[in-house]
Amino acid sequence: MRGYEDNTAFLGEWGSFQQTVFFLLCASTIPNGFSAFSVIFLGDSPPHHCFVPDSGNLSEAWRKAIIPIEVVNGQEEESKCSRYRLDVVRNLSALGYIPGLDVNLTGVEQECCVDGWSYSKDIYQSTIVTEFALVCNDKWKQPFTSSVYFLGMLCGSFFSGQLSDRFGRKPVLFVTMAVQTLFTFVQVFSQSWEMFSVLFFIVGLGQISNYVAAFVLGTEILTATVRVLYVTLGVCLFFAFGYMMLPLLAFFIRDWRSLLLVMSVPGLVYIPLWWFIPESPRWLLSQGRVEEAEAILRDAARRNRVTAPEVIFEESEGEEKPKPEKHHSPLDLLKTSNIRKITLILALVWFTLSMGYFAISLNTSRLHGDPYVNCFISAAIEVPAYVISWLFLRYLPRRISASASMLLGGGALYFIQLVPPSLPSLSIALEMLGKFGMAIGTALMYAYTGELYPTVIRNTALGSCAMISRVGSIIAPYIMTLSTYYKYLPYILLGSLLVLSAMAIPLLPESFGHPLPETIKQMHKRKWLKCPSLKRMRDHLNSPMMKPNDTRL
């Protein structure tokens, strides 16, 4: 039997069928963009101090002085977790003493915020921090909330790949989209931080599951240069658009419950897409369901206004009809030395990129100024990154482009420690340049990973790599806290891991200019270590492979 892409070449590359699949699958990733970073606004901590109950016998001078002044990072600010004892202050106020003049405040006993906290509403009307008092002794719950979400993404990465390989790409895509939408809506009614966190875990599980399913579904349906466009400019740009929509929504909706309600609405729009997005014919063939695969392709031919051959998947003489592949598990990614080597290198790369990407993205408080503008800048930097990643995938070998992008990111983070304190804007620029390199690397690795593994375990492989990357994202909220030990330690750590990953990537096989492997046997035939020559790259760009009927990347 000829290869899948040879058999489906009659469809062309960019007909009505491919255009519909391309844009609908890309659009399905928009909610993932604002869901992944929603905690930036849902869980932000506004300025606050201990609440002081109204009392007629408390003078205005004592009301202003009841909150102690502390020195933090060389600057004086009001204490967030303590106040002078209210009963003592009331007595001093009743006696007519003036704070700082008649009474030395350093000698007045302090107490914790027994009456709760008063939060500034200059930026937010409410967040989960103000709603559930996640401050002072419960301040640890702020970064942990982000980690819970990423823990849900880790579990989703683990299970979604296997479910998708067993039950199909399309059912898993729509079921997990429904999970994400439903539980985002239910979060609106959270009565405690514990309830919010459990629901946030489930939202994270649904978010990564439908993202990976959409990614693989598009990779398997689309071909050649359109597939490269989809996995870079398509999926990634629409994700970035969703990310950029988040600060715009949050700017106009300052209440966390209302923001969640608005974020859950787009999921309802995707229900009709069930009738427009098909199952992956590649997956159907791998399951021996040839008739269903042919039916989808004949419908695609009708929509593209081309004639399908009478028999799409011809059988060679003496060749048996395709049989369902046996089910695979993540353990298959470690069975042979070649696959094990690929998997371990990819594990390091995915872990590093995810940890660095989310550590920098969630660290927007280091960008001085308005938090909404800061978040938008952090999101907007991804747009040129994805454009460049598309150009890299279109014209350069995978190993060279992926390694170079991570060297850029690691180098930028390393240089931050050389910037003098008088130039904070330069430090911010280097931090964004580091994220720029990591965003390019992330887009490249999604495509590269999908090209390295065969159809029968591709979704399991992508799901497993995404699962490993989630371990990095779970750690990410705590990375910047290392600066309490040494200011530049987070950047040195992330920079070192990025450089190490860049050095490991050349050990992978090259996939540039090669068809997607359909079986594990085809995967083993990939060549290692040797990069394509410049002559071969020029021949590739000028060959029929790059024409509209191309069946290879």
Side-chain angles (χ1 to χ4, degrees), residues 58-126:
L58 194 63
S59 68
E60 187 64 26
W62 277 106
R63 180 171 293 279
K64 292 180 178 179
I66 195 171
I67 305 299
I69 301 298
E70 298 177 345
V71 177
V72 179
N73 295 325
Q75 295 184 342
E76 291 187 346
E77 62 180 41
E78 290 184 334
S79 173
K80 296 180 179 179
C81 299
S82 64
R83 70 183 184 190
Y84 295 116
R85 280 189 56 177
L86 185 59
D87 57 341
V88 173
V89 170
R90 281 174 174 167
N91 290 334
L92 293 172
S93 177
L95 292 173
Y97 292 131
I98 300 174
L101 183 62
D102 301 322
V103 178
N104 185 357
L105 293 176
T106 58
V108 180
E109 186 180 353
Q110 298 184 16
E111 64 182 357
C112 61
C113 301
V114 293
D115 294 308
W117 290 263
S118 177
Y119 300 93
S120 168
K121 293 192 176 182
D122 292 341
I123 300 176
Y124 306 106
Q125 212 173 15
S126 68

Side-chain angles (χ1 to χ4, degrees), residues 175-437:
V175 168
T176 53
M177 284 176 65
V179 167
Q180 179 182 350
T181 299
L182 176 62
F183 284 91
T184 298
F185 175 73
V186 176
Q187 274 186 295
V188 174
F189 306 100
S190 299
Q191 298 301 309
S192 65
W193 173 78
E194 290 77 11
M195 178 180 177
F196 178 90
S197 297
V198 170
L199 295 173
F200 211 27
F201 171 90
I202 300 174
V203 172
L205 187 150
Q207 191 265 6
I208 192 62
S209 298
N210 68 63
Y211 185 85
V212 172
F215 183 90
V216 173
L217 184 56
T219 300
E220 295 183 346
I221 291 179
L222 303 171
T223 59
T225 54
V226 176
R227 180 167 59 219
V228 175
L229 187 68
Y230 174 76
V231 300
T232 52
L233 289 186
V235 172
C236 296
L237 274 183
F238 276 73
F239 179 89
F241 291 154
Y243 186 2
M244 287 188 287
M245 286 173 59
L246 173 65
L248 298 177
L249 290 173
F251 179 80
F252 292 104
I253 305 172
R254 305 289 180 108
D255 172 66
W256 71 274
R257 293 184 190 272
S258 300
L259 181 59
L260 280 173
L261 182 62
V262 172
M263 287 171 55
S264 67
V265 172
L268 302 177
V269 178
Y270 294 111
I271 295 176
L273 301 190
W274 175 269
W275 289 274
F276 295 94
I277 297 176
E279 180 57 272
S280 166
R282 286 181 187 268
W283 178 81
L284 291 171
L285 285 175
S286 73
Q287 303 301 304
R289 295 158 63 176
V290 180
E291 293 80 7
E292 294 177 59
E294 288 197 349
I296 290 174
L297 294 173
R298 292 189 189 283
D299 179 65
R302 178 186 60 78
R303 292 163 65 178
N304 285 359
R305 298 181 180 179
V306 298
T307 303
E310 290 189 16
V311 179
I312 297 177
F313 299 104
E314 298 178 354
E315 296 180 19
S316 301
E317 187 175 347
E319 186 176 19
E320 295 182 1
K321 198 172 184 178
K323 295 180 180 179
E325 292 276 355
K326 67 174 184 179
H327 296 302
H328 296 273
S329 72
L331 294 178
D332 292 307
L333 304 177
L334 302 172
K335 276 189 175 179
T336 67
S337 60
N338 279 355
I339 296 181
R340 184 163 55 247
K341 182 178 178 181
I342 291 173
T343 301
L344 292 177
I345 292 174
L346 291 177
L348 169 66
V349 174
W350 281 71
F351 173 83
T352 300
L353 286 172
S354 180
M355 183 171 65
Y357 173 82
F358 284 103
I360 298 298
S361 297
L362 297 176
N363 194 44
T364 51
S365 60
R366 288 182 176 268
L367 292 174
H368 303 288
D370 190 280
Y372 302 102
V373 175
N374 295 343
C375 182
F376 185 83
I377 293 173
S378 182
I381 197 71
E382 298 189 12
V383 174
Y386 296 143
V387 173
I388 290 176
S389 68
W390 172 74
L391 294 173
F392 281 176
L393 286 171
R394 183 71 173 83
Y395 297 111
L396 292 178
R398 308 298 186 242
R399 291 181 293 191
I400 293 176
S401 52
S403 184
S405 66
M406 278 178 269
L407 281 175
L408 172 65
L413 296 182
Y414 266 132
F415 279 120
I416 291 178
Q417 61 186 308
L418 303 179
V419 178
S422 59
L423 296 174
S425 58
L426 180 56
S427 296
I428 294 171
L430 287 174
E431 189 169 331
M432 288 298 98
L433 182 60
K435 180 180 178 179
F436 178 74

